[in-house]
């Protein structure tokens, strides 16, 4: 698959659920990919999505190194998203990031807010909702309102929720998690929904995803 094919899949899923074209945006997950591959498979297609493609990185040091490399290459204007699990001691590498997808607690938010005060700008954040699998990260559904209020109190802007699909082939089970996440975002009055990866992004769009995080399918 290639990026244009993934976009075609997005447009198809939008149409099938009566959503306007472009209401689900592709976040190109570039973790583990060298610059040459990103140029060929992502940046070359930037014109296909208004505003281009935010690049999603999931490892903090790699993000830091990529941002430096892009700057050295004169590739300015790249929108960086951080989609990985956040470690407090690595928040310092998030300076170029405009959206953090997987915030889990108020300590993380406070660490970001403190650094953002020095940087002079703050990333927006999404809260990762726990999907019920013990090994997964995220905010437990019952804690969501309290964490949301606590994060907002740090001054960060919470724009929505993010979720990982459960590890199953059962599409109905995956769709349930996506729909539940959409409902919880709606209940909080939040508009951004980061859900769906290479294997399940059409399902996520059906459930209302506004940001889909696709990596493998862009590069293979
Ligand atoms: C790697 C990653 C993705 C992309 O997964 P693919 O299956 O390669 O599309 C999406 N979200 C998160 C949080 C990731 O770590």
């Amino acid at each position: 698959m290639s990026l244009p094919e993934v976009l075609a899949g997005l447009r198809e899923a939008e149409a099938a659920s009566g959503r306007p074209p472009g209401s689900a945006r592709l976040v190109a997950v570039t973790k583990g990919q060298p610059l040459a591959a990103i140029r060929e498979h992502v940046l070359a297609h930037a014109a296909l999505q208004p505003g281009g493609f935010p690049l999603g990185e999931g490892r903090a040091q790699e993000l830091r190194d990529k941002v430096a490399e892009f700057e050295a290459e004169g590739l300015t204007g790249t929108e960086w998203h951080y989609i990985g699990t956040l470690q407090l001691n690595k928040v310092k590498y998030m300076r170029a990031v405009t959206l953090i997808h997987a915030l889990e607690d108020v300590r993380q938010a406070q660490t970001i807010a403190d650094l953002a005060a020095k940087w002079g700008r703050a990333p927006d954040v999404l809260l990762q909702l726990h999907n019920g699998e013990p090994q997964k990260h995220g905010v437990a559904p019952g804690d969501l309102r309290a964490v949301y209020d606590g994060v907002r109190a740090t001054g960060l802007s919470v724009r929505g929720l993010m979720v990982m699909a459960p590890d199953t082939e059962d599409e109905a089970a995956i769709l349930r998690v996506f729909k539940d996440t959409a409902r919880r975002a709606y209940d909080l009055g939040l508009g951004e929904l980061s859900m769906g990866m290479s294997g399940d992004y059409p399902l996520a769009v059906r459930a209302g995803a506004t940001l889909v995080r696709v990596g493998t399918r862009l590069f293979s």
Side-chain angles (χ1 to χ4, degrees), residues 14 20 32 35 42 67 71-72 78 83 90 92 140 143 151 154 157 167-168 177 188 195:
E14 286 168 342
L35 177 55
V42 179
V67 170
E71 275 171 14
T78 305
I83 62 172
K90 292 182 182 160
K92 58 179 184 266
D143 297 337
V151 171
T154 68
S157 173
D167 285 325
T168 172
V177 168
L188 289 168
M195 16 188 235

Side-chain angles (χ1 to χ4, degrees), residues 177-218:
V177 168
F178 287 160
K179 284 187 167 166
D180 175 68
T181 305
R183 185 180 57 77
R184 291 178 190 281
Y186 181 84
D187 288 347
L188 289 168
L190 296 172
E192 213 73 85
L193 272 176
S194 169
M195 16 188 235
M197 313 193 340
S198 285
D200 52 24
Y201 67 90
L203 276 184
V205 172
R206 271 171 58 191
T210 60
L211 296 168
V212 297
R213 310 177 308 271
V214 177
T216 312
R217 285 272 157 100
L218 308 179

Side-chain angles (χ1 to χ4, degrees), residues 103 108-110 112-114 116 122-125 151-158:
L103 197 83
Q108 292 176 343
Q110 193 58 59
I112 296 167
D114 291 346
D124 291 342
V125 298
V151 171
R152 287 216 308 171
T154 68
L156 294 184
S157 173
V158 182

